[in-house]
Amino acid sequence: MLYEVHNRPLPVLVCKLNQGESIECQKGAMSWMTPTMQMQTGLGSGGKGLMGALGKMAKSALTSESIFRNTYTAVAGPGEIAFASTFPGDIIAFDIGQNELIAQKSAYFASTPGVQMELAFTGGKKFGGILGGEGFLMQKFSGNGTVFLEIDGCVYNYVLGPGESMLVDTGYLAAMEATCTMDVETVKGIGNALLGGEGLFNTKVTGPGKIWLQTMPINKLADAVKPFIPTGS
């Protein structure tokens, strides 16, 4: 399968599939496709059997995502399918066969068959995921294949060595390799915490591993446009 991402910051993922190749996505994600593509709705990779179905239902209840996936397959010759973004930002591809990945719970966009997705509980003993604002519930991707994630704004990455850390403000952590750990760190100084405008906690991500940071979390965009939204008289 070949793929390209076009027209950032309102990107679209265009995939070109050989006959017999497939790609999975959230329901309703397809934007356009050639008539050679055929859709099949099901639980997707990792959703087979009773335990797989129960796991999908639990994840759906906790993340508000649908338990179903649409699988598109090129059945009548080569095909092309496109998925347009739902938010100004970027679409990033990750090879899960190289490293398992943990991402914010709203990041999943599409994936090739063989990519497994499950809930990841992060934050360590201090529940840093909750207090740091990164969402104690995140998504873990494993298996083999390519997963496409939707990033809020632009993306910037760091490679952290063993024991190296980065302090990240609420919502700015998009993804990290599963070798990294995440915890909470309290903002030092009462004056800093109360008057600095940065909140009481930061998310501390520690290597070894690669992390991806996003420049415009959806909550920051909402705060920016809120003063310009008309309210009822």
Side-chain angles (χ1 to χ4, degrees):
M1 183 187 75
L2 300 176
Y3 62 85
E4 296 177 323
V5 177
H6 297 277
N7 303 325
R8 299 174 177 92
L10 294 171
V12 59
L13 170 66
V14 180
C15 301
K16 298 181 179 180
L17 290 75
N18 294 321
Q19 183 170 345
E21 288 187 319
S22 301
I23 187 167
E24 297 179 0
C25 66
Q26 284 270 52
K27 69 174 188 176
M30 188 277 294
S31 299
W32 62 84
M33 64 181 180
T34 59
T36 53
M37 301 296 297
Q38 184 179 86
M39 184 185 78
Q40 181 68 45
T41 301
L43 294 177
S45 297
K48 297 179 180 179
L50 177 60
M51 295 306 296
L54 291 175
K56 290 276 187 178
M57 292 174 64
K59 188 175 78 67
S60 175
L62 293 170
T63 65
S64 299
E65 287 187 356
S66 171
I67 67 172
F68 297 105
R69 293 281 183 272
N70 289 341
T71 300
Y72 291 90
T73 304
V75 297
E80 184 171 311
I81 186 169
F83 307 96
S85 65
T86 60
F87 187 85
D90 208 344
I91 300 169
I92 307 295
F94 298 89
D95 181 0
I96 299 303
Q98 298 294 320
N99 290 291
E100 293 183 348
L101 190 74
I102 295 176
Q104 62 179 350
K105 62 185 180 183
S106 60
Y108 176 77
F109 196 60
S111 60
T112 58
V115 173
Q116 309 293 322
M117 181 169 60
E118 59 186 304
L119 286 176
F121 295 87
T122 58
K125 61 184 179 180
K126 298 179 181 177
F127 300 101
I130 293 176
L131 300 177
E134 299 302 335
F136 181 71
L137 294 173
M138 299 182 78
Q139 293 176 335
K140 182 179 180 180
F141 301 93
S142 59
N144 289 286
T146 302
V147 62
F148 300 94
L149 300 185
E150 197 168 14
I151 304 298
D152 302 344
C154 297
V155 64
Y156 195 90
N157 60 68
Y158 290 93
V159 178
L160 301 177
E164 288 187 323
S165 298
M166 183 68 66
L167 296 179
V168 185
D169 195 10
T170 300
Y172 285 91
L173 178 65
M176 64 183 185
E177 291 182 337
T179 52
C180 295
T181 59
M182 193 170 80
D183 214 325
V184 67
E185 183 159 299
T186 307
V187 173
K188 293 180 175 60
I190 296 177
N192 293 336
L194 298 180
L195 304 176
E198 299 295 341
L200 300 177
F201 305 97
N202 286 317
T203 300
K204 183 178 182 180
V205 187
T206 303
K210 191 172 183 179
I211 63 172
W212 290 263
L213 307 178
Q214 55 193 12
T215 61
M216 181 55 73
I218 191 169
N219 64 305
K220 296 294 185 182
L221 179 62
D223 289 342
V225 302
K226 185 176 180 179
F228 304 98
I229 299 176
T231 58
S233 56

